[in-house]
Amino acid sequence: MTAYSPRLQRLIEALRRLPGIGPKSAQRMAFHLLDRDRNGATYLSTTLAEALAGIERCPSCRMFSEDGHCSYCSATRAASGQLCVVEGPADLLAIENAAGYRGRYFVLMGRLSPLDGIGPKELGLDMLAARLADGTVQELIIAINPSVEGEATAYYLAELARAHQVAVTRIAHGVPLGGELEYVDGGTLARALSGRQPV
Amino acid sequence: MTAYSPRLQRLIEALRRLPGIGPKSAQRMAFHLLDRDRNGATYLSTTLAEALAGIERCPSCRMFSEDGHCSYCSATRAASGQLCVVEGPADLLAIENAAGYRGRYFVLMGRLSPLDGIGPKELGLDMLAARLADGTVQELIIAINPSVEGEATAYYLAELARAHQVAVTRIAHGVPLGGELEYVDGGTLARALSGRQPV
């Protein structure tokens, strides 16, 4: 069985470590980079090295941060007394851009999934408990996706907040804006009904 | 509109230059590399830099080669007098591993597609013409995929070979081994019939 030359073979193997990329896609990417976009390949190689050297996790909110400075952990944000728990960096950014929320965050980087070996420790919930204990948080807002594992995580977080006598709320789940009742799935509709509010 | 920190933003943009990767996939890849596979990210960054520094195109067959040495352009291969034209490196490897062919190759790295600005010059067909003119090639074997653009490319190659009085053949297209006539598409079946051989 003939294979590609060693460097090309290594490059294909390295590209396979990207999530969702199999052998054929990795091969296609390698050929594309070497044949058509050498500038892009250089850019990817250097930005990757820069990112690895410069990007860390904020010790307080676990969001990616640079140069020891986290723009989501400022004193003015802390003054709001609110702490919003999200699953990942993309969720944080979505709330930041849409919701007018200006409190602090806590990024889990996952959700409780004992079968995959992801427990409270992996999600930094000991750090979260310490923050709830220090008295600066008045309200814990749970903004976890309503999946099966997300529900378990949300339940765990609510218990944690109650144990520290911190008020706990959860973002509303229901019919999305522009959605039509006719086409909304049953689970969502059940949640919308049980979560109905006085007007 | 808040965005990610500069290095993270640049990394996501760099990953988008990979073929078939949109903004969401690039974001997912960046988070995966930074959060779960920093070793993989380092490996990708260095192998990419190594590949860019070490991998070139063989000036004779246009296949990727390393350290100025191409294992597909040896003198023993040249002695066969056969030259097989393929579209890409993966096609070369498929023939090499399956077919017992031990002649030389010529890798087009694409196919004729005037609308995309890919003409004979982009595919190195001037280099191919020079090789056909030097008298070392007795048979040009066309192993181009039977797509619309592939057919046009194959026609062009056949004309080129005839202009240099070189015998030209094309690999057979027809019912694949293990295929059933009942399920084979009409185009393939028509090709199989028109390409029938005396037994």
Side-chain angles (χ1 to χ4, degrees):
Chain A
M1 194 77 178
T2 319
Y4 295 110
S5 57
R7 283 195 190 85
L8 184 52
Q9 196 65 43
R10 276 201 298 277
L11 176 58
I12 293 172
E13 274 157 31
L15 286 165
R16 283 197 60 185
R17 295 186 73 152
L18 293 170
I21 301 301
K24 290 280 172 190
S25 299
Q27 194 173 290
R28 189 166 138 249
M29 286 175 171
F31 296 157
H32 176 87
L33 290 175
L34 288 171
D35 189 39
R36 281 163 219 268
D37 195 10
R38 288 205 167 222
N39 291 340
T42 311
Y43 185 59
L44 178 55
S45 174
T46 52
T47 50
L48 204 47
E50 275 174 28
L52 285 168
I55 298 179
E56 305 207 316
R57 295 266 284 273
C58 168
S60 171
C61 72
R62 286 169 56 96
M63 177 66 175
F64 293 123
S65 67
E66 291 184 21
D67 312 317
H69 164 79
C70 175
S71 52
Y72 305 106
C73 285
S74 61
T76 49
R77 281 174 181 267
S80 78
Q82 291 175 316
L83 182 66
C84 180
V85 187
V86 293
E87 281 180 34
D91 301 331
L92 185 155
L93 219 68
I95 292 181
E96 191 66 13
N97 284 326
Y101 171 78
R102 286 295 172 267
R104 280 184 301 172
Y105 291 94
F106 190 84
V107 184
L108 297 180
M109 297 281 182
R111 48 203 153 187
L112 288 177
S113 179
L115 288 178
D116 301 320
I118 301 177
K121 203 158 165 290
E122 281 70 30
L123 301 183
L125 294 184
D126 42 349
M127 287 161 61
L128 180 63
R131 283 179 71 174
L132 292 175
D134 71 9
T136 58
V137 181
Q138 270 94 54
E139 183 186 2
L140 184 78
I141 302 171
I142 302 176
I144 304 290
N145 292 320
S147 61
V148 175
E149 288 155 346
E151 292 296 317
T153 311
Y155 183 81
Y156 189 100
L157 290 170
E159 289 296 305
L160 194 68
R162 275 188 212 106
H164 290 88
Q165 282 89 43
V166 170
V168 54
T169 56
R170 186 159 186 199
I171 60 165
H173 296 291
V175 181
L177 296 200
E180 298 191 37
L181 290 192
E182 188 180 347
Y183 299 111
V184 163
D185 68 292
T188 302
L189 213 48
R191 278 290 275 273
L193 264 175
S194 70
R196 66 190 181 279
Q197 307 241 342
V199 286
Chain B
M1 193 80 181
T2 319
Y4 295 110
S5 57
R7 282 194 190 86
L8 185 52
Q9 197 65 43
R10 275 201 299 278
L11 175 59
I12 293 172
E13 274 157 29
L15 286 165
R16 283 196 61 185
R17 296 185 73 153
L18 293 170
I21 301 301
K24 290 280 173 190
S25 299
Q27 193 173 289
R28 190 167 137 250
M29 284 175 172
F31 295 158
H32 176 88
L33 290 175
L34 288 172
D35 189 39
R36 279 165 221 266
D37 195 10
R38 288 205 166 221
N39 290 340
T42 312
Y43 185 58
L44 179 55
S45 174
T46 52
T47 50
L48 205 46
E50 275 174 26
L52 285 168
I55 298 179
E56 304 206 316
R57 295 265 283 273
C58 168
S60 171
C61 72
R62 286 167 56 95
M63 178 65 176
F64 293 124
S65 68
E66 291 186 20
D67 312 317
H69 164 79
C70 175
S71 53
Y72 304 106
C73 286
S74 60
T76 51
R77 280 174 182 268
S80 77
Q82 291 176 315
L83 183 67
C84 179
V85 186
V86 293
E87 281 181 35
D91 301 330
L92 184 155
L93 219 68
I95 293 181
E96 191 67 14
N97 283 327
Y101 171 78
R102 287 295 172 269
R104 281 183 301 172
Y105 291 94
F106 190 84
V107 184
L108 297 180
M109 297 282 181
R111 48 204 154 188
L112 288 178
S113 177
L115 288 178
D116 301 320
I118 300 176
K121 201 158 165 291
E122 281 69 29
L123 301 183
L125 293 185
D126 42 349
M127 287 162 60
L128 181 62
R131 283 178 72 174
L132 292 175
D134 71 7
T136 59
V137 180
Q138 269 94 54
E139 182 185 2
L140 184 79
I141 302 171
I142 301 176
I144 304 290
N145 292 320
S147 61
V148 175
E149 288 155 346
E151 292 296 317
T153 311
Y155 183 80
Y156 190 99
L157 289 170
E159 289 296 305
L160 195 68
R162 276 189 211 105
H164 291 88
Q165 283 89 42
V166 171
V168 54
T169 57
R170 188 161 184 200
I171 60 164
H173 296 293
V175 182
L177 296 200
E180 298 193 37
L181 290 193
E182 187 179 349
Y183 299 112
V184 163
D185 68 292
T188 302
L189 213 47
R191 278 290 273 273
L193 265 175
S194 69
R196 67 189 180 280
Q197 307 241 341
V199 287

